[in-house]
Amino acid sequence: MAFIFPEQFRFADSHEYASLEGEFVKIGISAFAVDQLGDIVFVELPEVGDSLARGSSFGSVESVKAVEDMYAPITGEVVKTNESVLASPEELQNDPHGEGWLLIVRPANLKQLEELMDSATYSSKVSAN
C-alpha cells in the first residue's frame, strides 16, 4: 500500500510525526503505523501541562491486534490533547495526518525537529518494510 506523508512533517523511527505549527508542534502517529495496527479501540494520552522527553513513552494506542507505546519525537510541554481522538479512537484511523493528531506541544528545542526524518526519507524506510 502506498502512503502519502505530508512534506512539512518530520518523522521518528518509532513512526510518530512532528509538524511545526507556529510556535507549537503537532504530534501524531503516521498513516503507516495506523495501518499496521488495524482497528484502533483505545488511545491513552498525557495530560495538558505534562512534560515530554524525546524518546520516552507519552501514551499508548490499543488496537484489536496489540497495545503499542508512542514515543515523544521531541522534548516539550503538552499544551493541548485531541479530545475527539480520546472519545472516538477511529478518528485516528480515518485521518492520522489531519483530524487524528494527538498532541500540541510547546517545544523545548526546535533543533530536535531537524534531527527527525523528512517525509521522503521516512517514506523510503516504510516502503522497504
Side-chain angles (χ1 to χ4, degrees), residues 8 15 61 64 81 97 101 104 106 111 113 117:
Q8 73 274 22
H15 307 291
V61 61
V64 293
T81 59
H97 298 154
W101 61 272
I104 303 291
R106 178 178 292 112
K111 287 195 183 297
L113 281 175
M117 287 179 271

Side-chain angles (χ1 to χ4, degrees), residues 15-26:
H15 307 291
E16 293 80 15
Y17 66 75
S19 174
L20 189 59
E21 310 261 321
E23 65 184 277
F24 300 107
V25 173
K26 181 168 56 176

Side-chain angles (χ1 to χ4, degrees), residues 75-93:
T75 298
E77 178 191 348
V78 177
V79 295
K80 187 174 183 181
T81 59
N82 189 341
E83 297 295 328
S84 69
V85 165
L86 292 173
S88 303
E90 62 275 4
E91 283 284 326
L92 186 52
Q93 282 172 254

Side-chain angles (χ1 to χ4, degrees), residues 7 13 53 126:
E7 285 191 20
D13 280 333
V126 298

